Amino acid sequence: MKYYSLNNKAPQVSFCEAVIKGLASDKGLYFPESRTPLPTSFFENIEAYSNNEIAYKLIKQFVGDEIPVKDLKEIIADVLQFNFPLIEVEKNIYSLELFHGPTMAFKDVGARFMARCLSYFNNKNPNEVTVLVATSGDTGGAVASGFLGVEGVNVVILYPSGKVSDIQEKQLTTLGQNIKALEVDGVFDDCQAMVKKAFLDTSITSKMQLTSANSINIARWLPQMFYFAFAYKQLKDKSKKLVFSIPSGNYGNICAGMMAQKLGLPIDLFIAATNANKVVTDYLESGNYQPKPSIQTISNAMDVGDPSNFIRIEKLHDNDFDKLKNNLHSYSFTDNETREAMLHLFKECNYTADPHGAIGYLGVKEHLKNNDNTQCVFLETAHPVKFLPVLDEVIANQIEIPSQIKSVIDKEKEATKIETYKELKDFLLK
Ligand SMILES: *Cc1c(COP(=O)(O)O)cnc(C)c1O
């Protein structure tokens, strides 16, 4: 499979090169040159397949023959070491729990898949690779855990000081080994801007191979297709229209769902559920795409003012606004609405959601106001324990701390504070 840059001013590359480079030389995101839908019989009989088999079928064409079948299957088996349960919270409303991995965030799957691909390619390439990543919350922990101890790969994570939860901070600052954390005096957009600048800085890239582990990277982005198929597999009634509501920040997860739909997964509609950062919601309403500085909310992993994957979503809809509007709806919710939804889910449905999942649920509720004959799945993208302060404030009920979290809580934080791009550069080059 070849990948081309969505800016169209860089050469096409292989899967391997796209994974190692992250972003094309013209700053464009890589996009697969083609896609072949899977046979309908596969989706009709999806219950007969294991999660590993489903994942293999979905990802195989995007990897091509660059990783031999046996190795690719091993990578998948190693990545998918946990469950993805679909829980009915109300009639026709399901939560797809994506938080049962090592850092309790859905990003674990993408990060683990990417780390293992990079490690595979690295065996043949003796040069070290530095993964440089900006996080608004969960990416950092998932990447840190996914890449820990991977030979030939160094990881540098930038996060906005004071703007990630304590547990999130611990997850990305306590691992040591090949993982380094930089605490940036600023917001997520500042971190992302520094990372983007570094990728284009030849005084850095001439000395070291940098790559991204944000959902910009195809090896982080594409494995997220699996979730949508895992949900479909678990649905008992497959005859009703199926709608997914996805709490969205950089729009990687939802965009992967759309790719799965292109491969034939029968999804009727996507809902991008967002917080006050509502550039896409506004766009669908006005036709005017207007990135904004990010606004801080209680669902901080979605505090993104200029979602990097949106260009891929447009491409998947042939850059046709009407096509897009037929397949994607979007609603935005305030912090107060989010808290109320968490409380409602807890009291009425006996379900504890984190703020992101609660926004997904709100997206479903909004949709159902005008469309009752559908089945809706919202993605629960993080374990509620990762947002303890919000949870304590809203629900005031003890929840059990899972072992994955216990293991980092008491560890010592290690991070280097930086304020400027120059400090990042010095750090990388030293
Ligand atoms: C990253 C993240 C999101 C947003 O996912 P995107 O793919 O960036 O849209 C939502 N919820 C949680 C908990 C996250 O960590």
Side-chain angles (χ1 to χ4, degrees):
M1 174 71 75
K2 289 272 184 252
Y3 289 80
Y4 66 97
S5 161
L6 286 176
N7 284 353
N8 290 313
K9 294 197 183 68
Q12 290 205 355
V13 296
S14 62
F15 175 75
C16 167
E17 271 181 277
V19 174
I20 291 178
K21 288 203 167 104
L23 200 64
S25 53
D26 62 357
K27 304 191 209 178
L29 270 66
Y30 283 118
F31 198 79
E33 63 165 358
S34 67
R35 56 181 177 258
T36 310
L38 300 172
T40 40
S41 59
F42 166 64
F43 295 105
E44 282 164 8
N45 297 314
I46 196 160
E47 285 149 55
Y49 295 87
S50 69
N51 281 359
N52 290 4
E53 288 166 336
I54 292 171
Y56 175 77
K57 294 242 182 226
L58 289 170
I59 203 81
K60 168 70 185 150
Q61 62 178 296
F62 297 102
V63 177
D65 53 13
E66 292 176 56
I67 300 179
V69 170
K70 181 175 152 289
D71 296 282
L72 182 57
K73 287 189 168 169
E74 269 172 31
I75 289 174
I76 289 171
D78 194 28
V79 167
L80 299 178
Q81 295 268 352
F82 37 91
N83 296 325
F84 304 85
L86 187 73
I87 313 284
E88 185 166 22
V89 299
E90 275 175 34
K91 193 165 185 307
N92 290 329
I93 303 181
Y94 299 84
S95 167
L96 180 68
E97 295 187 347
L98 302 179
F99 58 69
H100 295 278
T103 74
M104 319 218 81
F106 83 90
K107 294 182 172 77
D108 280 329
V109 165
R112 288 161 71 83
F113 186 78
M114 180 182 161
R116 282 152 187 78
C117 288
L118 211 51
S119 168
Y120 176 83
F121 293 133
N122 231 31
N123 278 340
K124 305 184 175 161
N125 165 8
N127 300 324
E128 291 215 328
V129 177
T130 298
V131 172
L132 185 63
V133 60
T135 181
S136 61
D138 277 344
T139 302
V143 167
S145 152
F147 283 82
L148 182 67
V150 173
E151 244 170 81
V153 183
N154 294 309
V155 177
V156 178
I157 300 168
L158 281 73
Y159 70 98
S161 181
K163 307 222 163 42
V164 302
S165 77
D166 288 349
I167 289 173
Q168 286 176 332
E169 185 173 41
K170 282 285 166 78
Q171 286 183 321
L172 56 97
T173 58
T174 60
L175 292 173
Q177 296 187 48
N178 57 333
I179 315 291
K180 303 277 182 302
L182 296 179
E183 183 175 358
V184 177
D185 183 20
V187 293
F188 169 69
D189 291 343
D190 300 317
C191 301
Q192 183 138 296
M194 283 194 197
V195 166
K196 283 191 178 157
K197 198 163 169 184
F199 280 113
L200 300 168
D201 189 336
T202 46
S203 64
I204 298 175
T205 55
S206 61
K207 299 203 178 66
M208 59 203 299
Q209 177 65 59
L210 286 183
T211 191
S212 70
N214 289 96
S215 46
I216 289 172
N217 197 299
I218 52 163
R220 263 266 335 257
W221 168 49
L222 289 169
Q224 299 174 138
M225 289 188 294
F226 306 162
Y227 306 141
F228 299 83
F230 295 167
Y232 184 65
K233 173 183 166 184
Q234 293 174 74
L235 276 177
K236 297 230 162 52
D237 177 0
K238 294 190 173 45
S239 64
K240 279 200 191 130
K241 285 194 170 169
L242 174 58
V243 174
F244 276 94
S245 174
I246 299 103
S248 296
N250 258 323
Y251 285 72
N253 207 3
I254 192 168
C255 184
M258 289 167 169
M259 186 58 100
Q261 180 192 38
K262 291 281 181 200
L263 297 189
L265 189 66
I267 301 172
D268 274 278
L269 181 76
F270 291 89
I271 296 171
T274 64
N275 55 30
N277 297 280
K278 58 189 183 75
V279 45
V280 172
T281 320
D282 290 345
Y283 172 58
L284 291 174
E285 192 146 329
S286 70
N288 182 14
Y289 191 80
Q290 201 51 262
K292 302 230 167 75
S294 61
I295 300 166
Q296 205 184 332
T297 71
I298 57 169
S299 45
N300 65 23
M302 310 198 292
D303 294 352
V304 181
D306 188 1
S308 46
N309 281 287
F310 198 68
I311 184 165
R312 284 184 172 140
I313 292 187
E314 299 215 278
K315 187 71 202 176
L316 280 170
H317 297 85
D318 307 320
N319 296 314
D320 179 330
F321 187 61
D322 291 325
K323 265 192 199 168
L324 179 63
K325 276 183 76 155
N326 280 331
N327 196 36
L328 174 67
H329 293 179
S330 178
Y331 306 108
S332 132
F333 302 96
T334 64
D335 280 353
N336 265 340
E337 289 169 319
T338 309
R339 290 189 187 96
E340 276 165 24
M342 288 169 70
L343 194 60
H344 169 85
L345 279 166
F346 182 70
K347 281 196 166 154
E348 311 298 328
C349 313
N350 195 20
Y351 191 75
T352 309
D354 93 295
H356 305 79
I359 286 184
Y361 170 78
L362 283 168
V364 165
K365 291 300 254 191
E366 202 59 39
H367 175 75
L368 288 175
K369 280 183 185 164
N370 304 312
N371 309 271
D372 44 10
N373 199 24
T374 51
Q375 282 192 104
C376 300
V377 176
F378 68 90
L379 305 193
E380 174 49 305
T381 46
H383 191 289
V385 75
K386 297 190 75 180
F387 299 89
L388 264 189
V390 188
L391 217 70
D392 284 343
E393 175 202 334
V394 176
I395 295 176
N397 188 53
Q398 291 288 326
I399 59 169
E400 201 183 324
I401 312 275
S403 58
Q404 291 102 312
I405 303 294
K406 272 191 198 140
S407 67
V408 298
I409 271 180
D410 295 326
K411 285 201 191 149
E412 199 68 33
K413 158 180 161 185
E414 258 183 66
T416 307
K417 289 200 170 177
I418 66 165
E419 287 176 12
T420 61
Y421 175 71
K422 179 162 184 312
E423 288 173 283
L424 169 62
K425 187 165 163 171
D426 292 345
F427 183 87
L428 289 173
L429 292 176
K430 86 166 181 267

